[in-house]
Amino acid sequence: MSPGAIADVGAVSTQIRRILRELGVEPEVVRRVGIICFEGETNIAIFTKGGRITLMVWDDRVELFFADNGPGIEDLELVRRPGYSTAPDWARELGFGAGMGIPNMEKNADTFVLRSRPGKGTAIRATVWRKGNERQGSSAGPGA
Ligand SMILES: Nc1ncnc2c1ncn2[C@@H]1O[C@H](COP(=O)(O)OP(=O)(O)OP(=O)(O)O)[C@@H](O)[C@H]1O
Ligand SMILES: [Mg+2]
């Protein structure tokens, strides 16, 4: 809804990736959580007036919660379909609007729960399991 908020897109996922690296979370988990966070924060910036992103780190998993008071989503099946987008022109001009954000979140999450009330807002919970990701990943930076 607000082209102004788009300038900050990426700030949350950058910060979250840094926190996870500092906590010693597996690089592959950091990579996947970073992608999920980026898509979620982008959608909050484009489609709502604001929201809250919560990161929880456990021994066996990382969880991300997204909550906003935006317009909500009428058809939860439709928005999960690759290519579906209602992005406004200003967002498309910036390269958003491929309709790949939610599919990309689902692909990178081990569990993905999308809830919404039209007119009220949207909430997403995404979990990435840490076990089995210990030795994967090629995106390890220095000290990661
Ligand atoms: N937080 C939200 N509140 C309301 N509607 C949303 C929200 N997030 C997504 N949507 C709706 O779901 C559609 C699909 O979202 P998705 O992220 O997959 O694609 P996009 O944002 O349109 O394009 P892309 O992410 O590829 O740049 C959006 O176009 C919008 O209609
Ligand atoms: Mg999107």
Side-chain angles (χ1 to χ4, degrees), residues 117-132:
R117 281 236 201 122
K120 295 267 183 210
T122 300
I124 291 173
R125 190 183 79 212
T127 307
V128 178
W129 293 102
R130 298 181 63 181
K131 305 299 174 203

Side-chain angles (χ1 to χ4, degrees), residues 13 19 32-33 42 54 58-59 63 65 88 96 100 102 137 142:
S13 49
I19 291 166
R32 288 168 61 194
V33 172
T42 304
T54 306
W58 307 88
D59 284 348
E63 286 180 318
F65 295 91
F96 300 104
M100 290 308 295
I102 290 176

Side-chain angles (χ1 to χ4, degrees), residues 38-40 42-44 46-47 85 96-102 105:
F38 181 81
E39 297 294 358
T42 304
N43 284 348
I44 288 174
I46 293 175
F47 300 107
S85 177
F96 300 104
M100 290 308 295
I102 290 176
M105 291 171 90

Side-chain angles (χ1 to χ4, degrees), residues 13 31-44 47 52-54 63-68 73 79-82 99-115 122-128:
S13 49
R31 188 184 71 79
R32 288 168 61 194
V33 172
I35 291 168
I36 294 165
C37 187
F38 181 81
E39 297 294 358
E41 69 178 299
T42 304
N43 284 348
I44 288 174
F47 300 107
R52 186 180 289 263
I53 300 174
T54 306
E63 286 180 318
L64 272 177
F65 295 91
F66 303 86
D68 68 61
I73 294 169
V79 299
R80 293 166 101 128
R81 224 176 272 169
M100 290 308 295
I102 290 176
N104 208 13
M105 291 171 90
E106 268 201 277
K107 194 181 86 185
N108 282 282
D110 290 310
T111 70
F112 183 83
V113 182
L114 171 62
R115 291 201 180 88
T122 300
I124 291 173
R125 190 183 79 212
T127 307
V128 178

